[in-house]
Amino acid sequence: MTYRENTLTAILLGIAQGIILNIAFVYITLRLGFSICGSAIAAIVGYVILRVVIRNGTILENNINQTIASGINSGGIGVVFVLPAFFMLEAQGKLTFSMLPLLIAGVAGALLGILFIVPLRKQLIEIQRLRFPTGTAVATLIRSGPANLDKVKLLAIGFAISAIWKWLMLTGILDSPGILEYEELQLHLGIFPAYLSLAIYLSPLNFAAGLLSGRAGLPFLWGGLIAWWFISPSAVNLGWLPSELDTVELVDAIYKQLLRPLGIGILIGAALMDVIIHFPVLKAALHSLWLAHRQTKPHPQQNHTHPDSSSHPQGIQHSLASPSPRPDELPLSILVPGFLIAIILLFFALSLLPGLSITQVLLGIIIGITWLLLASLVVTQTTGLTDVSPISGIALMTVLLMAAALGGHIPAVLLVTLAVAIAVGQSADMMQDLKTGFLVGARPFFQQLAQLATSWLGVLIAGTVVYLFWRSGVNQQGGFGEGTLLPAPQATVLTSIVDLVQNNTVPTDKLALGALIGLLLGAAPIAGFGVLIGLAMYLPFSITLGYGLGCLTQMWLVRRHGLAFDKHKIIPLASGLIIGEALTGVGHALYQIFLMAP
Amino acid sequence: MRLLSFSSLLFFTALLVALLSAAKPPVSPEQWPNTLWIYSISLFLAIGGLILWHLHIRQHAKIIHSTDQPLLDLSDCLHQFLSEMQELAQELANLDHIGILARIESLLELHVWPLVNQHPALLNTLGITQSMQFFLKLAQCERLLNRVTSAASDGYLEEAHHTYSQALLIVEDMYYDFSKKPLLEKRKDQSDFTT
């Protein structure tokens, strides 16, 4: 009986779920400004349909289902971040555009994001062992069953605690002005100055991500402490900020003018150094792909059985003395042509834009793709380490770089930004799913192929949905944006970034100086150090503190109860916490949209 | 140890100063903060600290290499791992899915995860290329053992047995490649395999 893995049922279920999640999350993101990874929802629905309704479904089929569903869904996240900005800027008379080049660029971005990150699976998952908290949680979920009842109980307890807590937070029942607001517990106690940003984000998901990371995530906490307990008070006491600012404005200025741009710079520098340091691994990964490519050709010595197979007991027969003829990863014969097709698509998309010379198109391709690859690595690493994607920082850098390269041709700048936003989403999602796959023993090849073959659907669906929403407004435009039911907050942020670039007020000094520091931090002999420090400076301290407490708690528990305690108790509980908050968040978002809409 | 303390202290202190000087907003119409000279000096000091830090790690790795202690440990670890894998291979056909899950869990807990936790130590002793090959094989074995668990949970015992045999082959490879087994013996085994 062949073990069911890449079956038609799993593929169709994944595509159906992906389309539904994509449409729902495009709407949620336009309305609320945030999106949620669809893996957990897809895995739960998959569990019910494959294992309860159909009954013969397997863990690996569910893994394929959630890979496809989340791949299609995450294609939409990149679209909804950038595409609405085109419509809003066109309405303001700042540009004109047509949909075709954007959709082509989006598909190219989706392909590039996957094709680039596939050869890095071994480095990120098998060598660096990044945790990918959501990927780990989904693996725990889809492996749950009667055989591991203890873990299922912990998963359920975590889910219940997290769901109830999130619900309490969302209803605001526990809110108290100045103490507990917007899910943040203020710890100033009226004693400490506001610029120390003493607050903790009361998110079980955030705490659980720290629990899953343990010691490896600790530099994230150090980064937050450096940012808010060293740089922030020093900047205030040295008089670097205008004295007329009130408390809220002061904290805002420290965060947005000093720490955030420095953090983005550090992130990029550290990721660049990571590429340099791990070059031997990258080389080995490409070499193994090359070897696998050569071994797929007929060879006289192939197909011999393991000579020692006779010594193995009944039921255990070796069939793999030579490497398996079935590839474990996407082979070069798919990766290279796929990469070329994606580049041609991007070239074609840029060529369709009016007013762009061939030199600008080529420059856009070279700089855009180089940056896209680095950005994909940055976002995949931060997702692997903390579950956070610094997508707005990446968008800022993309707009900045491309504006410099393309001489301020805004449609071209935003087109490349669209491709990059989609690519980074696909990279992070692909690696998150491959982590799940690793933990359930799936063949990476099937997952990679499944996501590559279907993720472009997410771009086209999300593009169509955004277009329809825009046309649903008065005079067939203005269906979203400020003053409507769908404020599209992320696209609004992007239009303000475009304004910053056009007015030449981007803090290039912070980005450049931060990048040099990032290079050094990335070269320190501590895994993930630079990326975590950069991300901590980029995010509010309340998130860093909650995550750091999770890391410290895990370290304390492991020291007290041993490493096995982490695998058997902490991981299932933390997985429940992550899934509970994610699903309650989705439920609340849908409730807000459908029941509380004016 | 003194060098480690000094180098890391120099690195972190210099970087903190660099970070602080980078944070200063430039005074209009300047593009760069007037603390740029402090930033530059501290960055150079940080580079010095970083070089010393890496030198210390390299020296430390050489000392470990000369004593051969960790390789001996790795050899023992792999021997125990292989023995237990072979023992389970004998019993696998008689185990139901609950039994398989328990034994695989135990293998992961006693042999695979402790080796994964030895990453920094093995990186220092084996070097980048060798340690990378070791951890890639270990990860491949772990993934296959995870697959055994999934297949057994789903009731596909034949798949579990087949996948287990693949994992066993990888552990055998690791044992030959990374233990201190004499090269002659290894060659003899390999020639046995090919005849």
Side-chain angles (χ1 to χ4, degrees), chain A residues 43-54:
Chain A
I44 290 173
V45 174
Y47 190 99
V48 172
I49 293 179
L50 292 167
R51 303 187 77 178
V52 180
V53 178
I54 299 177

Side-chain angles (χ1 to χ4, degrees), chain B residues 124-139:
Chain B
N124 285 340
T125 50
L126 295 176
I128 290 181
T129 314
Q130 282 266 303
S131 67
M132 193 187 74
Q133 285 168 356
F134 176 80
F135 283 108
L136 286 177
K137 281 198 171 180
L138 188 65

Side-chain angles (χ1 to χ4, degrees), chain B residues 46-62:
Chain B
I47 291 170
L50 187 65
I51 291 168
L52 286 176
W53 196 355
H54 278 285
L55 277 177
H56 168 81
I57 289 171
R58 204 166 281 183
Q59 272 178 0
H60 187 64
K62 272 184 191 163

